C-alpha cells in the first residue's frame, strides 16, 4: 500500500517509519523532511486543506501521527493541541475521504486518561477517558473526530492509544522482570500500526503498550481484533 503519513517527521515517526517502509510505500506530509530521503516527502501544514487533498491523491491509507505539545502553556499549547489533535485530524480525514481512502489509523495516546498510569488498572478500552490535561483531553476529542468520520463517511479508523514509544535499546536498558512497564518498543508500536492498517471495523480504539504481563492494561481487544500483543521481553 501507499501510506499518507501526516506528521511522520516527529519522534514516533522516526522510531516506526523504518519498520513500515519494509512493507509499504511511504509519503510523508509534514513541515519538516522525514528521517530518510528515500521516502516521498510533501511539505505542508495540517491547516492547509488544499495541500492535504493533493497529498492524499493516489494513497491507499492514512496514518495520522501529528502530535500537539504536551507542555501546558497558554496560549501556545492551546493553539497547538486544538489545531493538531482536533482540527488537523478532521481535515486529514476529510481529505482522505475526498481521495477515496477508506482506511485510517490515528495515533492517539494513553494520555487520554489522567493521573499516574502506573498506579491504575485499565480493564478495557471502554473505560471512559478522564484526563483534564489539555494534551490528553484534545487527544480524546481527536478520537471523537475519528468516530464521527467512520459514521459520516464510512472510513475505517483505528485509534491506537500509544504509551511511551521508545527504541528497543532504551526499553531493554530500563525494563526488568517483575517491574511493571508501560513503555513500548518501536518494533511493537510498528507492528500494531501495521495490524491497524489492515483491520476494518468502523471506529475502534486500542490500548497499545509494552505491558507484556498485562498487570496494568488488559490488551485482550488488540489481540482479539488485531492479532497484536507486545513481543518485547526484558533480558534480566
Amino acid at each position: 500500500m501507499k501510506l499518507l503519513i501526516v506528521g511522520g517527521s516527529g519522534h514516533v515517526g522516526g522510531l516506526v517509519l523504518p519498520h513500515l517502509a519494509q512493507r509499504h510505500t511511504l509519503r510523508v506530509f509534514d513541515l519538516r523532511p522525514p528521517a530518510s530521503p528515500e521516502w516521498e516527502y510533501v511539505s505542508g501544514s495540517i491547516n492547509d486543506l488544499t495541500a492535504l487533498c493533493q497529498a492524499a491523491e493516489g494513497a491507499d491509507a492514512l496514518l495520522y501521527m501529528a502530535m500537539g505539545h504536551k507542555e501546558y502553556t497558554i496560549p501556545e499549547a492551546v493553539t497547538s493541541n486544538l489545531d493538531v489533535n482536533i482540527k488537523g485530524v478532521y481535515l486529514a480525514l476529510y481529505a482522505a475521504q475526498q481521495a477515496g481512502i477508506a482506511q485510517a489509523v490515528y495515533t492517539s495516546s494513553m494520555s487520554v486518561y489522567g493521573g499516574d498510569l502506573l498506579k491504575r488498572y485499565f480493564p478495557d478500552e471502554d473505560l471512559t477517558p478522564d484526563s483534564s490535561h489539555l494534551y490528553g483531553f484534545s487527544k480524546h476529542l481527536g478520537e471523537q473526530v475519528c468516530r464521527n468520520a467512520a459514521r459520516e463517511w464510512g472510513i475505517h479508523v483505528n485509534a491506537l492509544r500509544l504509551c511511551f514509544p521508545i527504541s528497543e535499546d532504551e526499553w531493554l536498558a530500563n525494563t526488568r522482570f517483575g517491574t511493571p512497564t508501560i513503555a513500548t518498543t518501536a518494533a511493537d508500536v510498528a507492528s500494531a500500526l501495521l495490524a491497524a492498517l489492515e483491520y476494518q471495523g468502523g471506529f475502534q480504539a486500542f490500548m497499545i503498550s509494552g505491558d507484556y504481563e498485562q498487570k496494568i492494561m488488559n490488551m485482550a481487544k488488540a489481540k482479539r481484533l488485531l492479532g497484536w500483543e507486545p513481543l518485547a521481553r526484558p533480558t534480566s
Side-chain angles (χ1 to χ4, degrees):
M1 289 193 296
K2 173 170 281 190
L3 306 181
L4 171 60
I5 305 174
V6 175
S9 299
H11 169 68
V12 179
L15 290 171
V16 304
L17 262 59
H19 296 275
L20 303 186
Q22 296 176 19
R23 296 271 298 274
H24 300 294
T25 302
L26 309 186
R27 175 185 292 162
V28 177
F29 181 90
D30 205 306
L31 291 172
R32 297 181 293 111
S36 173
E38 297 181 3
W39 306 329
E40 182 181 355
Y41 170 56
V42 178
S43 177
S45 166
I46 55 171
N47 294 310
D48 189 339
L49 179 58
T50 299
L52 283 166
C53 287
Q54 292 173 347
E57 292 180 3
D60 301 300
L62 167 69
L63 174 52
Y64 192 92
M65 302 187 70
M67 304 281 188
H69 292 302
K70 293 186 179 181
E71 293 77 14
Y72 194 94
T73 305
I74 305 295
E76 291 82 4
V78 173
T79 302
S80 170
N81 281 283
L82 298 186
D83 279 357
V84 175
N85 296 334
I86 304 172
K87 178 182 177 181
V89 179
Y90 186 95
L91 291 177
L93 288 168
Y94 178 83
Q97 64 90 20
Q98 287 287 298
I101 296 173
Q103 186 74 21
V105 177
Y106 169 56
T107 54
S108 185
S109 169
M110 281 300 291
S111 295
V112 299
Y113 295 103
D116 186 342
L117 300 182
L118 286 168
K119 295 181 179 180
R120 301 183 63 176
Y121 179 69
F122 301 89
D124 56 45
E125 286 79 358
D126 290 334
L127 185 66
T128 302
D130 57 7
S131 176
S132 59
H133 187 280
L134 179 60
Y135 176 76
F137 175 66
S138 65
K139 294 300 283 188
H140 175 216
L141 293 181
E143 290 186 2
Q144 301 313 303
V145 171
C146 295
R147 186 187 299 274
N148 184 70
R151 290 172 175 167
E152 182 71 13
W153 300 321
I155 300 178
H156 299 284
V157 191
N158 294 310
L160 302 188
R161 294 172 179 168
L162 303 185
C163 207
F164 304 116
I166 57 177
S167 70
E168 276 73 13
D169 288 344
E170 185 177 358
W171 193 89
L172 289 171
N174 291 282
T175 307
R176 298 290 181 269
F177 281 115
T179 302
T181 183
I182 54 177
T184 321
T185 67
D188 278 337
V189 173
S191 64
L193 290 169
L194 289 168
L197 285 165
E198 300 290 340
Y199 182 74
Q200 297 187 336
F203 171 80
Q204 298 290 338
F206 298 93
M207 291 186 289
I208 302 295
S209 87
D211 181 18
Y212 61 93
E213 293 183 309
Q214 301 196 47
K215 291 183 176 180
I216 298 170
M217 300 177 192
N218 180 355
M219 293 175 284
K221 180 180 179 181
K223 184 174 183 179
R224 183 177 73 255
L225 298 184
L226 301 181
W228 179 90
E229 59 185 332
L231 298 182
R233 298 292 185 274
T235 56
S236 61

